[in-house]
Amino acid sequence: MIVEMLDDRVSIEALGLIPHFFERALYIEGQSIQSVADKMDTLYHYGGFVYPFEGTIVDKKGRYLADNDDDPLDPIARITKLGFTLWVYPYAIVGLIDDKGNQKIARFD
């Protein structure tokens, strides 16, 4: 697993347990995005992808555009493992993308 902090004002500690959930959810190569999301939800216990957010990750820099009038959010971290990328945003929003471009967005606060 590779964790890349993208905002110098934010420390890795601000990510809380999100990297841990992601790493534990991805234990074998070839998992589906739903399998990873389900495992993250099980580890988190409080919703996560069970209550998905609307919107999309719009570019390779990981900008998240919500399905409302809010400005796009720039990610504060990018975590990669086994062909998956987990973008972490302010407000504990995360975006999970597989190597096929499938996306899931939720909040892990």
Side-chain angles (χ1 to χ4, degrees):
M1 179 175 79
I2 299 170
V3 179
E4 181 182 0
M5 298 305 296
L6 303 173
D7 186 332
D8 294 337
R9 300 169 296 172
V10 180
S11 69
I12 195 166
E13 289 81 9
L15 303 180
L17 293 172
I18 292 171
H20 176 73
F21 297 149
F22 181 61
E23 183 169 41
R24 291 212 34 218
L26 267 167
Y27 50 89
I28 57 170
E29 200 165 351
Q31 288 177 262
S32 69
I33 193 169
Q34 188 62 54
S35 171
V36 176
D38 289 346
K39 181 68 173 173
M40 286 182 70
D41 289 342
T42 299
L43 294 165
Y44 177 53
H45 295 288
Y46 299 104
F49 293 110
V50 173
Y51 306 105
F53 276 34
E54 298 296 324
T56 188
I57 299 165
V58 295
D59 60 26
K60 293 185 188 250
K61 293 181 180 180
R63 291 180 354 131
Y64 167 60
L65 183 60
D67 193 17
N68 58 32
D69 293 332
D70 290 348
D71 291 332
L73 283 179
D74 291 322
I76 58 174
R78 177 177 52 210
I79 308 170
T80 56
K81 182 179 177 184
L82 296 176
F84 285 84
T85 300
L86 187 74
W87 298 98
V88 183
Y89 302 91
Y91 317 110
I93 297 170
V94 300
L96 178 64
I97 301 179
D98 66 14
D99 58 1
K100 298 174 187 96
N102 298 310
Q103 302 182 7
K104 292 193 169 286
I105 301 165
R107 188 169 179 176
F108 280 74
D109 57 350

